[in-house]
Amino acid sequence: PPSSIEKKDVYELVAHELSKLSLMERHRVNQDVLGRNILAAVEPVQLSSLGLAALDKKLLTMKEKQYYTLAQSLNSPMIKDENFRLKFARADCFDPAKAALRMENYLKFMHDNFGKDGLLRPILLTDLDKAERDLLKSGSMQMLPCRDKAGRRILARIGAFGNGRHSLRNKVGLKL
């Protein structure tokens, strides 16, 4: 569809809208654009401990927890790790039902793709099969040696991702 919108017009509109915000609101918008989570920077200790307790309680009472139960039976150090569980709690703003479901889905994915090892520890390069290692070596995906301002790894994709012979599982395996 034809568009008469110029880049300059977009910049002017954004500037106009930002000028309506208070200094604190503009700061929050800028932090959000930069990928910095304002809530995480000022998260009270009580929130994380209460949120973690609520998640743990929900994990015990939820009905569909096949992979969480399997990880428990394997005595998985990963699911016992407070920081690991906090990632799920924070991802869903400490909603225990959503966080427990997210964690169960993650464990299912890891089990389906990496077997019992996926429930016991983070994935290593040695867990990738030859096709996945070849895809990684192709250079179309690069993990930068630095992190963004929020501490996340930066994964850059250059050009086509693989040559068409790689399965979705190969591609997903690399993104973990």
Side-chain angles (χ1 to χ4, degrees):
S3 176
S4 62
I5 298 175
E6 297 289 326
K7 189 187 277 189
K8 180 182 159 221
D9 295 334
V10 173
Y11 287 132
E12 287 176 3
L13 177 63
V14 170
H16 177 71
E17 292 299 319
L18 285 173
S19 70
K20 294 179 187 177
L21 301 175
S22 71
L23 183 60
M24 183 55 92
E25 289 170 327
R26 271 187 295 209
H27 176 70
R28 287 183 181 145
V29 167
N30 284 330
Q31 295 298 307
D32 189 39
V33 168
L34 291 172
R36 297 180 189 155
N37 185 344
I38 301 299
L39 293 176
V42 294
E43 179 181 285
V45 176
Q46 300 90 344
L47 177 62
S48 58
S49 59
L50 287 173
L52 192 57
L55 172 59
D56 291 342
K57 183 179 178 181
K58 185 62 182 175
L59 285 167
L60 292 175
T61 61
M62 69 186 279
K63 292 178 182 173
E64 297 293 323
K65 58 178 181 179
Q66 173 185 354
Y67 296 94
Y68 178 75
T69 303
L70 178 58
Q72 278 184 314
S73 71
L74 295 170
N75 203 20
S76 171
M78 193 164 66
I79 65 166
K80 293 177 183 177
D81 181 23
E82 184 175 296
N83 289 323
F84 175 78
R85 294 190 324 275
L86 269 173
K87 291 176 187 179
F88 296 95
R90 287 181 177 134
D92 286 304
C93 296
F94 295 97
D95 181 321
K98 288 180 181 177
L101 180 61
R102 182 184 298 267
M103 188 170 164
E104 176 67 13
N105 288 339
Y106 172 82
L107 294 171
K108 178 185 184 318
F109 177 84
M110 294 302 286
H111 182 268
D112 290 350
N113 288 285
F114 298 100
K116 291 180 181 177
D117 283 344
L119 301 177
L120 296 172
R121 60 175 171 72
I123 299 306
L124 305 172
L125 189 58
T126 55
D127 294 319
L128 302 178
D129 63 22
K130 181 168 177 14
E132 291 163 343
R133 286 192 304 273
D134 289 346
L135 183 58
L136 188 60
K137 288 177 186 176
S138 74
S140 63
M141 189 173 357
Q142 298 284 321
M143 187 164 308
L144 301 183
C146 57
R147 294 178 181 249
D148 71 2
K149 292 182 181 187
R152 297 172 295 206
R153 289 185 177 164
I154 302 170
L155 193 64
R157 188 177 131 209
I158 303 163
F161 187 38
N163 57 11
R165 67 180 172 88
H166 298 288
S167 69
L168 178 61
R169 192 250 183 247
N170 293 147
K171 295 175 183 180
V172 170
L174 291 182
K175 290 186 180 182
L176 293 174

